[in-house]
Amino acid sequence: MRPMPPAANFPAACPVEAVVEFDSGVQSLGPLEGAAYRLIGTATCQVDRAGDRYVCRLVSSINPQKGAALNSDELKERFLNLVADENLRARVAEKSEGVRNVILALAFGSLVNNQNDAG
């Protein structure tokens, strides 16, 4: 038996490309990598260093996992929002490190005391 032909042929979608640049003196690499990771399924991101700049090359996924494919401006906006979010997360983590360490020390200290009391 011959296989049934497809009901419709859809033209292959062309990936959308965009480039976003950052001054490496202002923007650190970590948040760029975090934002690139969060784009998985929507787009790919290649981060290169060119002199004193980070050049981020964004290419949309042909079959995005989350909704419709983004155009160039939407892709840039999404990436910039993710970079801003990653920058804020890094800043909050840095400012709250001392408190976080105290909480962890108290929690683990309590566990050690409980184990000593039980044993």
Side-chain angles (χ1 to χ4, degrees):
M1 174 182 258
R2 257 179 52 196
M4 180 181 254
N9 289 326
F10 297 104
C14 295
V16 174
E17 298 183 21
V19 175
V20 181
E21 294 187 24
F22 296 90
D23 182 336
S24 62
V26 176
Q27 177 61 58
S28 60
L29 181 59
L32 295 178
E33 292 174 331
Y37 176 77
R38 290 172 61 189
L39 274 179
I40 291 175
T42 302
T44 60
C45 178
Q46 179 179 342
V47 180
D48 295 312
R49 181 109 187 222
D52 64 344
R53 317 242 347 124
Y54 288 119
V55 180
C56 303
R57 289 178 178 79
L58 309 168
V59 179
S60 68
S61 296
I62 294 174
N63 297 315
Q65 295 175 359
K66 301 172 185 168
L70 303 176
N71 66 37
S72 180
D73 289 338
E74 292 169 333
L75 188 56
K76 285 180 186 179
E77 180 180 0
R78 174 92 171 116
F79 184 67
L80 290 172
N81 286 341
L82 292 173
V83 170
D85 183 68
E86 290 293 328
N87 282 328
L88 180 60
R89 288 172 185 267
R91 198 168 301 133
V92 168
E94 181 182 313
K95 287 185 178 186
S96 63
E97 182 178 16
V99 173
R100 188 173 57 250
N101 289 341
V102 168
I103 291 169
L104 290 172
L106 290 172
F108 285 115
S110 175
L111 288 174
V112 169
N113 286 340
N114 287 344
Q115 287 178 348
N116 289 339
D117 292 343

